[in-house]
Amino acid sequence: YGEDVRDETCSDYLNLIIRQGHESVVVETMVHLLAGELAGLWDEIVLDAISEESENFRQLVGQMGRRFHQNVQLLPKGSCFFIRLPESWERLIMERPTHFRQKYKQHLNRLKRKGAVSYDLVRTPDQLEEGFRVLIHLHGKRWSEKGKEGVFQSGKFLAFHKRFAEQVLPLGYLQLCSLRLEGTPVAANYNFSYNGKVYAYQSGIDIHIDKEVSLGNLMEGY
């Protein structure tokens, strides 16, 4: 990538991009070049943020280990937490600890006492602009109160995501949604749904609605 930090649009996970079926020969060629003089002089190669599930990664580690032996190190960096979803919301909530179920219900009832609660999901291209407007407002408001900028303050960053959202919405990969109280947005999520998984990306909440209500948890529940 190489942009300024505020403009960066890069994945959480990086990888070697290789045509399927050609992994072995490409990785073998790379390791051969690194071991010889064609790659020039080098002391250290750091490949950051590659998922351990990557077949390219496994082949690279195996061949690098055989060629360079003890000089290959795998360093875990950070954790990616997830939950397996059952077939229904009722089953999911029953599998949570008792105190979680009670707290979730209390927060939901507390919010509903303030007015009508509704959930909106962007489903058509003409809803995208409003979906992003809500997300950017809530996300930016939260960070500005901390004296910082939200990630969508960069025009370059925002333009990338709007173009990306337009392309993946028809494929069913986009989850751009909001939680509203009496029609006013109080929480928003920007997630990606792909290959049986939902990836949480960005969010925003109005922390002034009620500090005793976890709008983030309610947003995820809806």
Side-chain angles (χ1 to χ4, degrees):
Y1 38 109
E3 299 95 341
D4 293 337
V5 173
R6 71 194 306 271
D7 294 332
E8 280 183 354
T9 51
C10 59
S11 287
D12 288 345
Y13 292 118
L14 307 179
N15 209 334
L16 306 174
I17 301 177
I18 304 173
R19 185 186 299 275
Q20 192 170 7
H22 296 257
E23 294 87 354
S24 295
V25 65
V26 172
V27 171
E28 184 179 351
T29 303
M30 288 178 59
V31 174
H32 175 73
L33 292 173
L34 290 172
E37 297 180 357
L38 289 176
L41 297 176
W42 57 275
D43 297 305
E44 182 180 43
I45 296 174
V46 178
L47 302 177
D48 193 21
I50 298 181
S51 169
E52 292 184 8
E53 297 178 3
S54 165
E55 178 60 27
N56 299 345
F57 174 77
R58 285 195 286 265
Q59 291 202 30
L60 181 65
V61 169
Q63 293 201 35
M64 291 283 282
R66 287 190 291 273
R67 184 63 69 96
F68 301 108
H69 306 295
Q70 72 276 11
N71 293 330
V72 176
Q73 296 182 37
L74 302 182
L75 302 177
K77 182 182 177 182
S79 300
C80 181
F81 297 99
F82 67 94
I83 182 171
R84 297 189 186 280
L85 297 177
E87 68 278 4
S88 68
W89 165 254
E90 290 74 19
R91 175 74 179 274
L92 172 64
I93 201 71
M94 287 305 298
E95 291 177 353
R96 299 301 94 207
T98 301
H99 71 274
F100 177 90
R101 297 200 302 271
Q102 292 175 343
K103 192 172 183 180
Y104 184 90
K105 187 175 181 179
Q106 289 170 359
H107 286 203
L108 182 58
N109 290 337
R110 185 181 178 98
L111 185 63
K112 286 183 174 180
R113 284 196 293 270
K114 296 178 180 296
V117 178
S118 59
Y119 172 80
D120 288 338
L121 176 66
V122 170
R123 302 180 188 277
T124 60
D126 61 311
Q127 296 173 331
L128 273 173
E129 191 63 35
E130 172 65 8
F132 270 106
R133 186 195 68 77
V134 169
L135 172 71
I136 293 166
H137 170 70
L138 292 173
H139 179 82
K141 184 178 180 181
R142 178 83 184 274
W143 282 102
S144 65
E145 291 174 351
K146 296 181 179 181
K148 299 180 180 180
E149 285 189 342
V151 297
F152 297 104
Q153 294 304 306
S154 162
K156 187 175 181 180
F157 182 90
L158 177 57
F160 170 86
H161 280 279
K162 283 187 173 181
R163 289 199 304 271
F164 180 76
E166 288 175 357
Q167 294 180 44
V168 300
L169 176 62
L171 303 175
Y173 299 164
L174 181 68
Q175 282 191 0
L176 181 56
C177 45
S178 62
L179 192 65
R180 295 172 182 258
L181 179 63
E182 290 291 306
T184 300
V186 295
N189 269 358
Y190 178 33
N191 302 333
F192 306 113
S193 175
Y194 178 73
N195 197 26
K197 298 178 181 178
V198 176
Y199 298 88
Y201 183 68
Q202 285 293 350
S203 63
I205 62 171
D206 187 342
I207 61 174
H208 297 295
I209 294 299
D210 190 333
K211 294 186 183 297
E212 299 299 318
V213 173
S214 177
L215 291 172
N217 278 346
L218 294 180
M219 177 85 252
E220 294 292 349
Y222 271 88

